Structure formats: C-alpha cells, structure tokens
Amino acid sequence: KGLVTITSLAISASNIPQASHSSDHLGNEMRRENIFPVTPTFKMRVENFFETDVENKVEECLLKNNSYRDYEAADFLSQIYFDDQKCAEVLGGILKQLAEKLDAVRCQAGLCLVQLLSGPNMIPFLPCKEMLLEGLRMDCRHSNDNEETNWANPEFTFPLLMRVINIDAFFYPIISGLVVSIGGLTESVTKHSTKAILDYFRALQKAKMIGKISKIGKAFIRLFDEHPKDSRVILPLLVTIDKLLSHGCFDNILQDERSDFTDQLVMRIRKESSRCTDIKRLLAIIPVALGTLHTHDKELVKSTTFPFIMRLLAHRYPRIRRCTAEQFYVKLLEDDSIAPKSDNIDKVMTILSEVTWDRSLGPPWNVRESRNQVALLLGVELSEKDRVGPASKPAATKVVDEFASYQSLVETAGR
C-alpha cells in the first residue's frame, strides 16, 4: 500500500507543466518552472512562496545556470520541491523493495516502476535515465512487454537489478534489498539472488574492478552500522558475507594491504556476538569469522580473530561450542597455513575431533581446559578471564523466618 501511495504521488507531480530538461545535467539545467512542489498531493504549485529579495536572488542564480542547492534557503527548498534527489530517493526505495525476498512485494514494486518509468506519466529528473530504462528493459525496444512482466519471478528480476546496480544513486538500496533475499529462507529467491550477485562478482573480478568489490564491502559494513543487533538484517547479511567469502569473492580485498575491510568486518561481528542470545545469529557469525582468517594481515588474525574464535569454543551455549569446533576442524583440514603455529596442527585437530564440546565447561568434562590447550598449541594469548571463565557467584544465604510457615501461624493462634 505504501508503494502504491508513493507511486501515485510521484505520478501526480509529472502532470504539472514542465520545461524540457536533460536528466544527465539536472542540477545545472533546472528552471523555476521545472521544480515540482512536494505537497500532500503533489498537485499544488506554491505561489509567492519566497520573500521578494530571496526570490530575486533565486531567479538571478537560475539565469547563471547554477544549482539551486547553492542558493540561500536551499535546505528549506529541498524539503519542499520534487527534484533529482527526491526522485533518486523514491526510485531507490522502490528498487530496494524489488530486490526483497517477498514475491508479493517484488510484484507490486515492479508494477510501480512501470507506472513511474513508462508512458506519458514518466516522472522527471531520472538519474542516468537511459541506463536505468535499458537495465530494467523499459526502453522503447521493450515497451510492449512491461505490462506482461512477472516481477515476482526471481529468475527474471534479480539479473535486471544487477544491470542497474552500477548507477551510484541506486547502488546501496539494491544491495540492501539483495542481502535480505540472499540470506532468506525461500529456496527459489535465495538461489536466483545468490546466482545474480555471484555472476556480478565474477564479472568484476574478470575486469579487475577491485574498487567496485571494495565498494560492496563498505556497503556491508554500513549495513552493520545502520542495523546493529537487528536480526532481520544482520542474520541475512552474515549469510550473504559467508557465501561470498566461501566463493572467493572477497579474496582480492582480503589480500590487499590498502584495504581495511577485514579489520572492519571482524570488529562488527565481535560487536554483534557480544551479549547476543540469538542462536541463529551466533551460528552465522562462526563461518564469517573463520572466513576472515585468509587475510594478509597476520597480526590481526593472531591478536583479534583467533582469540575471538577461542572465545566461541568456550561459549556459554553448548551448540555454539560444538559448531565452532566442527567448522574450525574443517577449515584447518582445508588449509592449515592459517594457523600461527602449523607444527601443532595435528594435535589441535585431534583435540577438536575428540572432545565433546557440548558438555559442561567445568568439571567433570572440563571443556574450557581443552579449549585452553588448543589456544596454547596455536600460540594464541588468552586473558586471565578467558582462561578461567567468569567468576561464579556465591550462593545467596537464605534467611529463615520462624514466623513464615503455616505451622507457625497455627501454633500462634492456638496459644
């Protein structure tokens, strides 16, 4: 319903008379008659809005082909008028919904885009108009197919989105929506969204566009920062990063000494694991932490990543300890060069495979002692608190009240 409302309002704006303009140079070619007022219905033009002296200054700057954001009262103006920035925000929000995991939402978002971008009601101020229309197959060559398009079909929709993702204004909204789809539970949506982004990464790697790969990594870090502890976003984000790491999509920036992606990622997953009670999120953190061991920064691995993995091996939840041990064993089996001390790998793998990690941390099973032995063999330094564990709270002494029982009440009443 929200998508339909936004679409109808934006279409109403396009019914206001406008002068011709180029979508590639909107900021410089705006005229007073081209700016659309953003009101509850988008239909009313604001007359005599400016005071005389401000209006004269605006008109003077317009004649010099300057961007209206350079004028006095530019912030106020941007809240009132529908311009290229507002257009990018509206379309970015709809494209994000087009990348989401629910079929009904993708279908409605696609229909809204058809209304906004095709026919006589096309909204003005489109960023990279030709690239956008061609990427979504809404240009003149495919205009007859728009109404029959099944936008709910993930096999059709996600490849189109990857053609539009190169437009800077829509990059982050599309990535945000894709993450939720890739890490979702619907098999067809997960399959086709994952295939679309993996194909995109392969194309970037083939073209050696490391900057684009780094940009995606920064977008993921931004998602961590904007949605801390939010399982709806963080859980699929972790699943997405795990898939990309396992397919080698981030190998270039993991080995790039100029990139701080690994450092930032480890910092975010440690923050997400702190005081986390969501088992699914903790389970998703484990493979991501192990995937960062392939970074060029060995000091980061030794001082931060390995101690974090050791804490997971002694986590308070038995399932987390067991899954960490299993996945760590497999990781060492695949590549033992990630360990700081490779001479002790056999002993470490023996402990990981033989210890029953979902038993108690203390006596009689002493799982924490086994973890400490693994850390010692790998040369990982643990703090005193990590080695010993949290101090046990003394049992509270219960004060017995001789008058608290029913028997006491009977005896007192019988006197």
Side-chain angles (χ1 to χ4, degrees), residues 166-184:
N166 289 321
I167 302 176
D168 290 339
F170 306 134
F171 172 80
Y172 185 69
I174 293 176
I175 284 290
S176 303
L178 270 175
V179 160
V180 178
S181 295
I182 295 171

Side-chain angles (χ1 to χ4, degrees), residues 85-122:
Q85 185 175 349
K86 287 288 190 298
C87 179
E89 291 175 0
V90 170
L91 287 179
I94 297 177
L95 286 170
K96 179 181 178 180
Q97 300 304 315
L98 189 63
E100 282 272 5
K101 59 183 178 180
L102 298 178
D103 292 350
V105 174
R106 289 199 310 278
C107 182
Q108 189 62 63
L111 295 176
C112 290
L113 283 173
V114 171
Q115 295 180 55
L116 289 172
L117 303 180
S118 61
N121 290 328
M122 181 182 293

Side-chain angles (χ1 to χ4, degrees), residues 40 88-89 92 138 175 257 265 304 313 325 357 365 374 391 396:
E89 291 175 0
M138 292 185 183
I175 284 290
E257 296 181 358
L265 179 58
T304 305
L313 273 177
W357 292 94
W365 300 100
V374 170

Side-chain angles (χ1 to χ4, degrees), residues 193-369:
S193 58
T194 302
K195 182 180 183 302
I197 199 168
L198 288 178
D199 290 343
Y200 181 68
F201 265 95
R202 293 188 188 102
L204 294 179
Q205 290 175 329
K206 186 176 181 180
K208 297 182 179 181
M209 301 178 69
I210 310 302
K212 286 279 188 181
I213 299 176
S214 179
K215 186 178 179 181
I216 296 175
K218 291 178 181 178
F220 290 161
I221 299 300
R222 179 179 169 185
L223 283 171
F224 275 113
D225 294 338
E226 291 183 353
H227 304 276
K229 306 291 184 179
D230 183 359
S231 292
R232 182 190 177 276
V233 177
I234 298 300
L235 179 57
L237 175 59
L238 290 167
V239 173
T240 301
I241 295 175
D242 174 36
K243 289 182 179 181
L244 295 176
L245 286 172
S246 63
H247 283 84
C249 296
F250 285 125
D251 285 353
N252 290 322
I253 59 176
L254 288 177
Q255 299 300 324
D256 188 356
E257 296 181 358
R258 298 167 297 177
S259 174
D260 64 344
F261 172 69
T262 309
D263 190 9
Q264 296 295 325
L265 179 58
V266 171
M267 186 188 306
R268 296 320 187 276
I269 61 176
R270 289 179 62 194
K271 184 178 179 180
E272 286 296 325
S273 67
S274 176
R275 299 182 180 181
C276 178
T277 58
D278 186 345
I279 295 293
K280 291 183 179 179
R281 203 187 327 158
L282 289 169
L283 290 173
I285 285 173
I286 297 170
V288 175
L290 294 172
T292 61
L293 293 175
H294 295 285
T295 181
H296 70 91
D297 192 350
K298 300 304 179 185
E299 183 61 31
L300 173 69
V301 171
K302 184 177 180 179
S303 63
T304 305
T305 311
F306 263 117
F308 176 63
I309 294 173
M310 294 300 106
R311 291 190 191 102
L312 293 176
L313 273 177
H315 199 275
R316 57 175 173 164
Y317 293 155
R319 188 178 175 188
I320 302 302
R321 299 198 296 270
R322 177 169 55 82
C323 290
T324 302
E326 291 172 355
Q327 295 185 41
F328 191 26
Y329 178 88
V330 173
K331 179 64 71 173
L332 291 174
L333 201 61
E334 294 173 348
D335 183 10
D336 58 7
S337 65
I338 60 176
K341 291 185 178 180
S342 56
D343 298 340
N344 298 325
I345 291 296
D346 292 339
K347 295 179 181 179
V348 170
M349 296 181 68
T350 299
I351 296 174
L352 290 174
S353 60
E354 291 183 354
V355 172
T356 307
W357 292 94
D358 50 6
R359 298 285 190 176
S360 60
L361 287 170
W365 300 100
N366 294 316
V367 168
R368 187 185 301 310
E369 290 297 327

Side-chain angles (χ1 to χ4, degrees), residues 126-138:
L126 291 176
C128 302
K129 178 180 176 181
E130 294 181 1
M131 185 186 299
L132 176 64
L133 296 178
E134 183 179 354
L136 294 175
R137 299 172 64 90
M138 292 185 183

